Amino acid sequence: MAKKNDDLLDEIKERGERTARRRAKSKLKKLHTATKALAALFLLVGVVIGVCICTFLSKNDRFVLKGKTQISLDAGAPYVYVEEGCTAVCFGMDCSARFKVEASRGITMDENGNYVIPAEEGVYTLTYTVDHPKFNGKLGGEQLKRIRVFTVNAGEEDGRNG
């Protein structure tokens, strides 16, 4: 019995929707051509104004690292890197304080919060991201990352036997 009532309610709802659609189409057909043209024009103008405002507000947006992005080091002694940070601006607001750093394997932190790059030969990275919808992919794009690369090279030998 309950199923029969549900089916009846669904049928009434569907019939009401069809009637509403039919009436809306009828009303739309009765609109004057000038009214339709003005509505389309206002829609187009609104879209253009919206795009212009969005472009103007975001023209100075950026996400860049401060300091060098590629640093070459000689092997032999660990290198202490003092974080320079990044500049992140979105719609005129400074988001720089919301950056996060992910260190590659081998990089550690000292007691002062500085990064210690190993003395062993290799390539080490610090990957920066910003916790903001424009930069972290929550608005449909990809997450923006900036990477600082530390290349530790074997020391040059002068050819003398010592």
Side-chain angles (χ1 to χ4, degrees):
M1 180 88 176
K3 184 165 174 84
K4 196 173 190 182
N5 287 340
D6 288 343
D7 290 342
L8 186 58
L9 287 174
D10 288 342
E11 185 180 326
I12 292 171
K13 182 179 175 184
E14 188 178 314
R15 198 177 306 151
E17 289 173 0
R18 280 194 307 249
T19 303
R21 260 191 245 114
R22 193 175 47 237
R23 285 184 182 163
K25 284 181 183 179
S26 172
K27 296 277 184 192
L28 191 60
K29 285 181 184 178
K30 291 180 184 178
L31 279 178
H32 195 276
T33 307
T35 305
K36 292 177 188 176
L38 278 174
L41 178 66
F42 288 146
L43 177 65
L44 181 64
V45 168
V47 168
V48 169
I49 289 173
V51 167
C52 290
I53 288 173
C54 187
T55 302
F56 175 76
L57 290 176
S58 64
K59 70 180 176 183
N60 293 323
D61 288 3
R62 62 192 173 282
F63 176 25
V64 293
L65 294 179
K66 293 179 183 176
K68 294 181 178 181
T69 57
Q70 294 186 356
I71 301 171
S72 292
L73 306 168
D74 290 329
Y79 174 76
V80 177
Y81 173 72
V82 178
E83 180 57 60
E84 295 183 59
C86 68
T87 300
V89 177
C90 182
F91 294 114
M93 296 182 337
D94 185 11
C95 309
S96 299
R98 296 163 59 175
F99 77 93
K100 295 176 185 174
V101 181
E102 182 181 322
S104 66
R105 195 173 80 196
I107 296 178
T108 58
M109 285 190 108
D110 66 8
E111 62 278 353
N112 297 322
N114 298 319
Y115 292 99
V116 179
I117 311 303
E120 292 83 33
E121 189 175 349
V123 176
Y124 304 93
T125 61
L126 295 176
T127 304
Y128 297 75
T129 56
V130 177
D131 186 25
H132 189 280
K134 180 171 185 172
F135 299 123
N136 66 13
K138 290 183 180 173
L139 295 178
E142 288 188 34
Q143 181 176 25
L144 291 179
K145 296 178 181 180
R146 298 294 180 252
I147 300 173
R148 194 177 313 273
V149 179
F150 299 89
T151 306
V152 180
N153 299 310
E156 296 286 325
E157 293 188 24
D158 60 5
R160 289 184 270 169
N161 291 332

